[in-house]
Structures are given as structure tokens and as C-alpha cells.
Amino acid sequence: MIKSIFSAVGIFAILALVIGMVADIRSADSTKGGYEYPFAGWSGKTIDFSAMYQTKDGLYKSGYVIDQFFNCHTGMISWEILGVIKGDFRKFSERAIVVHKPQDECRARGYNTDSWAISDLL
């Protein structure tokens, strides 16, 4: 009986973890299209940077399982899983800079983003 209870709790915990990870990954970028230069014709909702917390180095978004960090000094996107496993993902792509406009939000919050301005469409 105890094994059955622990098994059920474990299954539900793993299921919740997987559902949370899928939700966090899907919410990272909900735009579609505009993948070729000049990145026009995209649709969807851009990232709401104004809803993110400000840190000394950039913007922070807390997720169900995966937390995202956008470094406004370098343009690097990093992540953290359950507050334990950390890693760098990549720098903002030219498409992300043009479509989502993270530099505008970082500049509005007082960061210098000139070092990662890579698009001539800005």
C-alpha cells in the first residue's frame, strides 16, 4: 500500500514537472514567421519585457520550472531549472532583436545595449 502511494505521488510529481517545462518552453516565444531578413510578416504576441523583474544585469522572468534571464549588458539569454541547474542559452538573434525589441526595454531601464546591436534594421 505504501509503495502504491509513493508511486502515485512520484508519477504526479514527474507529470507536473514535465507539464511545467512544456508550458515554460512554449511561452518563451509565441511569435511565428518572419524568419528571413528583413524579419517582416511575423504574427503572434511578442515577449512582454515590461512584466519582467529588473536585476543589476538585466531582466528576469520566473517560470513554473524554468526561469529566464536576459542580460541587458551582453544580450545573452540564460536559464535556470528549479533554481538549481543553470546555463547560458545564446545571445539574442537578429530576428529577436527586430521582432521583440529587447534593446528598447533595456535602454528604457537604463542599460547600455550598444555592444549587442547587430541589426541594421534598428
Side-chain angles (χ1 to χ4, degrees), residues 34-56:
Y35 297 110
E36 300 297 324
Y37 186 87
F39 312 109
W42 60 272
S43 63
K45 185 178 175 190
T46 60
I47 297 171
D48 184 14
F49 293 106
S50 64
M52 294 182 160
Y53 300 106
Q54 184 171 344
T55 68
K56 68 180 179 81

Side-chain angles (χ1 to χ4, degrees), residues 44-96:
K45 185 178 175 190
T46 60
I47 297 171
D48 184 14
F49 293 106
S50 64
M52 294 182 160
Y53 300 106
Q54 184 171 344
T55 68
K56 68 180 179 81
D57 291 321
L59 307 174
Y60 176 81
K61 177 185 175 190
S62 180
Y64 296 108
V65 178
I66 303 171
D67 299 331
Q68 298 175 22
F69 176 70
F70 302 120
N71 189 317
C72 287
H73 297 294
T74 63
M76 179 65 75
I77 303 168
S78 302
W79 49 267
E80 184 175 276
I81 298 175
L82 297 174
V84 178
I85 303 169
K86 300 177 183 182
D88 290 334
F89 178 60
R90 66 180 213 169
K91 289 192 173 204
F92 278 105
S93 67
E94 189 175 10
R95 177 191 180 272

Side-chain angles (χ1 to χ4, degrees), residues 96-115:
I97 291 171
V98 171
V99 172
H100 297 286
K101 301 183 181 351
Q103 287 179 310
D104 293 348
E105 184 66 31
C106 288
R107 284 186 185 125
R109 294 189 187 208
Y111 297 102
N112 181 2
T113 63
D114 294 337
S115 67

